[in-house]
Amino acid sequence: MIQVGIIGGAGYTAGELIRILLRHPEVNLNFIYSTSQAGKPVTHIHQDLLGETELHFSGKISKDVDVLFLCLGHGNSIKFLAAHDLSENTKIIDLSTDYRMASDDHSFVYGLPEFNREAIKRAHYIANPGCFATAISLAILPLAAEKLLKDAVHVNAVTGATGAGTSLSETTHFTWRDNNFSAYKAFEHQHLNEIGQSVKMLQKAHDQEINFIPNRGNFSRGIHATAYTRFSGSPEDAIEIYKRTYMDAAFTFVIDEEIHLKQVVNTNKCLLKLQKFGDKLLITSVIDNLLKGASGQAIQNMNLMFGLEESTGLKLKANYF
């Protein structure tokens, strides 16, 4: 059994990790570390796990784990690793932004399995992609891989309230979020950096803008993204490129029907739909921001790192109604 530890156990991403790992056939959940909840039952915070586990949050960290998931706020993973002497045999999967950008200062591998599978299999440290970055990258990277991103890319995407984390802010209170909709961080969202990095890895000469407008939706979870750019080929050409790219992907599917969030919420899937309008290719992409956009993809990466079938423990069903 793979011995697993979780650092930062009280948040949404940790809750989803716990829910899935408790049922993962190859995993033993060794400890769930939380400074704010140490000693309390895990179900005190993650109430959906009542009857599923008797685990308590721990105030201590065991070095005897095979893999450690870091579910910490952005900027805190670097601080945590600097402050703790972990076993050199412990693999790390970080869900924050701290190590997503390639640097000589670290050896973290960017964990987007559809485009980095072999490197993930060999990796000791994984930087799990951001939720918007996952949805948008899966929408446009097939074009970059074929050197076909020749113009600016325009993206509009909406995320649910869980994308903001558990800490309350003005824009996460029910009275603000309910029956409301807003844009934020237009053209400046932090996930643009990792999207651009992935594009450059596949199409080094790409020098066009990726224009991204993120939005807050009045639902709990999911991301619905639309991206468009100029494309000289036919709709059939585009579909053939995308289906070939994702032919062996465990969770990413190109479909002909209209897509919507209820097809993917509570799953690790990404659904893509392609449409041609004049000289523009429109790609619609939907994911669950907490699963394919965070914890599910982290477990997908863990499976690859330990030589397991990629979908182990992740055959989850959407709630259509």
Side-chain angles (χ1 to χ4, degrees), residues 144-169:
E146 298 290 329
K147 313 297 187 288
L148 292 174
L149 277 182
K150 298 179 179 179
D151 208 334
V153 180
H154 303 275
V155 183
N156 192 289
V158 189
T159 187
T162 52
T166 57
S167 298
L168 286 176
S169 67

Side-chain angles (χ1 to χ4, degrees), residues 90-227:
T90 299
K91 298 180 179 182
I92 295 170
I93 301 174
D94 179 32
L95 279 74
S96 79
T97 62
D98 291 15
Y99 295 101
R100 291 174 188 164
M101 299 306 295
S103 169
D104 292 336
D105 295 333
H106 67 78
S107 56
F108 279 74
V109 170
Y110 190 66
L112 188 64
E114 288 79 359
F115 291 92
N116 223 8
R117 182 176 285 103
E118 295 308 312
I120 292 167
K121 288 179 180 179
R122 300 188 299 269
H124 202 75
Y125 305 117
I126 292 291
N128 213 57
C131 51
F132 273 132
T134 296
I136 296 166
S137 295
L138 292 175
I140 67 175
L141 289 185
L143 296 177
E146 298 290 329
K147 313 297 187 288
L148 292 174
L149 277 182
K150 298 179 179 179
D151 208 334
V153 180
H154 303 275
V155 183
N156 192 289
V158 189
T159 187
T162 52
T166 57
S167 298
L168 286 176
S169 67
E170 179 184 350
T171 58
T172 58
H173 280 283
F174 177 81
T175 51
W176 190 95
R177 200 92 182 197
D178 185 47
N179 292 318
N180 206 356
F181 189 94
S182 68
Y184 70 108
K185 296 182 180 179
F187 304 108
E188 297 177 343
H189 196 279
Q190 63 272 16
H191 290 183
L192 271 171
N193 293 328
E194 56 188 285
I195 296 166
Q197 175 179 255
S198 296
V199 168
K200 284 283 190 181
M201 285 179 62
L202 296 171
Q203 187 175 338
K204 292 181 180 179
H206 183 264
D207 59 358
Q208 300 295 313
E209 290 184 326
I210 300 174
N211 299 305
F212 173 33
I213 308 296
N215 301 284
R216 304 178 183 97
N218 67 337
F219 49 91
S220 292
R221 57 197 293 168
I223 287 176
H224 185 288
T226 52

